[in-house]
Amino acid sequence: MKKNAFSALEYILSFLLLVLNLINYESRINSILFLMAGTALFSSLFFVCFKKSESFLAACMMMLCHTWQISWINIFGAPITSLQLPWFYLIGLLLALFTLAKLKSLYSKPVNAFFLALVVFVLIISTFPFFTSPSKSEALKDYIMILFYIVLVFVAFLFSNSVSLEAREHILSAYSWCVFISCFFIIFQTVAYQFFGISLFYQSEGYYFGKATFTSGLLMGDLSSASIMLGSAVFIAVVRIEKKQRILLNSLQLVVTVIGLALTSRRTGALTLVLVLSLYAITHYKSAFKKIAALILFSIVTMIMGYYLLFSRSIDSISTLFYENNRMSNYINVLQTILTHPFGVGYDDTYARTFMADNVAPHNTFLRWMLMGGPIFSIALMAIPLYTLVCAFKKKLTCEFWIILYALLASNFIPDLLTAKFFVIPCMCALLVFKTPEKSSRSKLLNGRR
């Protein structure tokens, strides 16, 4: 079968897997039937991704993309609050088992001693906040989330430079598709409610400064964090348009993405995207003409996104748009808490929020990590994504570099970037992908290719 046929089948199966979960969200399917149908679709999709990429590692990365939208639903169809077992986490287990199977071949592989020591150190100290947490069941949620990220980045580090540039394109395409179809459904559910009064999937309506606020979130749990993934796919579309790759298709994706992002009504992803796109235009392009052209294009994108953001939040003033929601006072509370709890207060978020004046988690990823595990823990954990950012820059992986940078900047305004789950994908790509096309012949060593 040709790869074009595999691509069509890949997107169809991905669509069906999402639709299965959307139907289950509206009308709960029997858990056994849901598991059987999900397993059949998941297995078929994994097979297609493997045949298309010819790499077990790349296939797993593609599957992380395809299962991201449903990562807030476990394999039995219930929310992960009842059981932390979505398909997304099971892919992580597959990668861990694959690493164990290939362990002997990794002994002689040269590695960066600093990063190896850093990951081992973080793995060790990440256990302390769990054991000091008042509620182990509550702490387990954050501990699994952090452990998942650390372990998968470590797997990517061990198999560094073992995924070809061609396979990387398949991963980025899966990433783009995941965001596009998510934004499509977000637009669909917004239209269904606003024009026909039909409420579908995750939606909420409230008030912000006395104005009605309407949120469309598909299946996303932590919407503030999750919406950052929607914005991150803009950089893939921009880079591909720049390379004249399917300009009309990528332009459509760009427009649908920014509209979908705006309709989530979350400000962080949208406002950070405007900032980083401006930075991209100024630093990425060399000639003054290209800088100006890019700024004009991004201004148009910003106006489209801004229109729908104001529509969803009913904001009529700039001061309201940039209102900080007492973020600064909670930042100060974190620093005061650390003076009396230098090793943090544990992963139990319910308990940690009692140290905040308004019982709300600090909207800053680094400070929340500090609140949970102390300064040493937060600095060591943050050093891991910063290392992947440097790797992406050195390898000239434009998409990964800007996605990671965008996510890290946005993390300063949300409780925890890792709750969005997607962040592990660009970080892994930055480590796994070849430095240069000439090294592609080395892919057979550790990538599981048949």
Side-chain angles (χ1 to χ4, degrees):
M1 188 181 293
K2 293 182 179 180
K3 288 192 176 181
N4 286 340
F6 274 125
S7 292
L9 188 56
E10 174 192 353
Y11 300 142
I12 291 171
L13 290 170
S14 176
F15 176 80
L16 291 176
L17 185 59
L18 175 59
V19 168
L20 173 68
N21 282 266
L22 292 174
I23 293 173
N24 177 72
Y25 187 91
E26 290 298 312
S27 304
R28 185 65 186 275
I29 302 171
N30 176 275
S31 57
I32 301 302
L33 291 176
F34 180 84
L35 176 62
M36 292 173 62
T39 301
L41 288 170
F42 178 89
S43 302
S44 301
L45 182 55
F46 190 96
F47 174 78
V48 169
C49 290
F50 180 75
K51 295 296 288 184
K52 181 179 177 181
S53 64
E54 299 182 315
S55 164
F56 181 84
L57 290 171
C60 285
M61 295 287 293
M62 294 164 72
M63 289 301 295
L64 286 174
C65 298
H66 290 305
T67 57
W68 175 78
Q69 309 108 312
I70 62 173
S71 61
W72 287 271
I73 306 294
N74 66 39
I75 60 175
F76 297 103
I80 59 171
T81 49
S82 61
L83 177 64
Q84 296 277 322
L85 193 63
W87 288 112
F88 194 84
Y89 282 167
L90 287 178
I91 298 166
L93 178 61
L94 282 176
L95 283 165
L97 293 174
F98 177 75
T99 303
L100 290 175
K102 294 284 185 177
L103 210 53
K104 287 185 179 180
S105 62
L106 294 170
Y107 286 148
S108 59
K109 190 176 188 293
V111 296
N112 183 298
F114 165 77
F115 191 71
L116 177 62
L118 174 65
V119 172
V120 172
F121 178 69
V122 173
L123 282 172
I124 294 172
I125 64 171
S126 64
T127 61
F128 296 153
F130 174 75
F131 289 112
T132 59
S133 299
S135 171
K136 298 298 183 289
S137 60
E138 286 295 316
L140 191 61
K141 298 173 185 177
D142 274 312
Y143 184 53
I144 290 175
M145 179 181 70
I146 291 172
L147 198 63
F148 178 83
Y149 175 78
I150 298 170
V151 169
L152 260 63
V153 170
F154 188 45
V155 168
F157 167 72
L158 293 177
F159 291 100
S160 58
N161 301 324
S162 59
V163 168
S164 68
L165 290 174
E166 181 183 2
R168 170 191 176 243
E169 287 301 312
H170 297 321
I171 297 170
L172 293 179
S173 293
Y175 193 103
S176 297
W177 164 257
C178 164
V179 171
F180 174 79
I181 198 65
S182 297
C183 290
F184 172 82
F185 273 111
I186 287 172
I187 295 171
F188 174 76
Q189 67 177 140
T190 302
V191 171
Y193 183 81
Q194 293 286 359
F195 294 95
F196 303 100
I198 302 172
S199 180
L200 296 170
F201 323 131
Y202 170 71
Q203 288 181 323
S204 65
E205 191 168 4
Y207 291 91
Y208 185 74
F209 283 93
K211 300 287 186 177
T213 300
F214 179 76
T215 296
S216 297
L218 200 59
L219 298 174
M220 302 173 196
D222 187 326
L223 196 54
S224 292
S225 302
S227 62
I228 296 172
M229 180 172 182
L230 306 184
S232 69
V234 166
F235 296 99
I236 300 175
V238 167
V239 170
R240 288 183 168 178
I241 292 170
E242 184 182 312
K243 293 180 178 178
K244 297 181 174 59
Q245 297 177 353
R246 298 181 178 179
I247 295 176
L248 290 178
L249 181 62
N250 283 294
S251 298
L252 173 64
Q253 179 179 328
L254 182 61
V255 173
V256 170
T257 298
V258 296
I259 293 175
L261 170 61
L263 292 176
T264 64
S265 79
R266 302 300 94 177
R267 294 176 299 166
T268 298
L271 296 178
T272 307
L273 182 60
V274 174
L275 171 65
V276 180
L277 278 176
S278 301
L279 186 63
Y280 180 91
I282 294 169
T283 62
H284 180 72
Y285 299 104
K286 303 301 180 184
S287 70
F289 174 78
K290 287 185 177 180
K291 289 180 190 291
I292 294 172
L295 286 172
I296 293 173
L297 172 63
F298 296 156
S299 295
I300 295 172
V301 169
T302 298
M303 286 189 288
I304 294 172
M305 182 168 57
Y307 173 82
Y308 287 98
L309 179 62
L310 296 177
F311 166 78
S312 64
R313 294 185 74 93
S314 299
I315 295 173
D316 54 11
S317 71
I318 296 297
S319 61
T320 302
L321 180 64
F322 289 97
Y323 180 65
E324 51 98 16
N325 280 350
N326 296 321
R327 280 174 167 84
M328 292 305 300
S329 60
N330 272 336
Y331 296 168
I332 294 172
N333 285 340
V334 171
L335 298 177
Q336 291 174 338
T337 303
I338 292 304
L339 293 176
T340 55
H341 298 76
F343 297 103
V345 299
Y347 289 135
D348 182 352
D349 188 57
T350 303
Y351 174 67
R353 283 191 277 109
T354 62
F355 291 87
M356 301 295 101
D358 52 4
N359 201 38
V360 174
H363 279 53
N364 181 289
T365 299
F366 181 77
L367 289 179
R368 183 171 182 267
W369 291 348
M370 187 182 294
L371 179 65
M372 293 190 299
I376 297 175
F377 168 77
S378 58
I379 293 171
L381 185 54
M382 184 58 73
I384 293 178
L386 289 175
Y387 179 86
T388 66
L389 181 69
V390 172
C391 287
F393 178 78
K394 288 183 176 179
K395 294 180 182 181
K396 298 181 180 180
L397 301 175
T398 306
C399 293
E400 289 84 346
F401 173 80
W402 287 99
I403 288 174
I404 296 172
L405 179 63
Y406 164 68
L408 286 174
L409 290 176
S411 74
N412 290 289
F413 310 103
I414 57 172
D416 201 317
L417 178 61
L418 298 187
T419 59
K421 301 182 181 70
F422 83 93
F423 189 56
V424 73
I425 301 171
C427 291
M428 290 182 71
C429 269
L431 296 170
L432 283 171
V433 176
F434 294 134
K435 292 182 179 179
T436 59
E438 288 75 20
K439 295 185 180 181
S440 60
S441 61
R442 295 170 55 192
S443 64
K444 297 181 180 179
L445 178 60
L446 294 170
N447 72 348
R449 182 174 180 174
R450 288 181 176 176

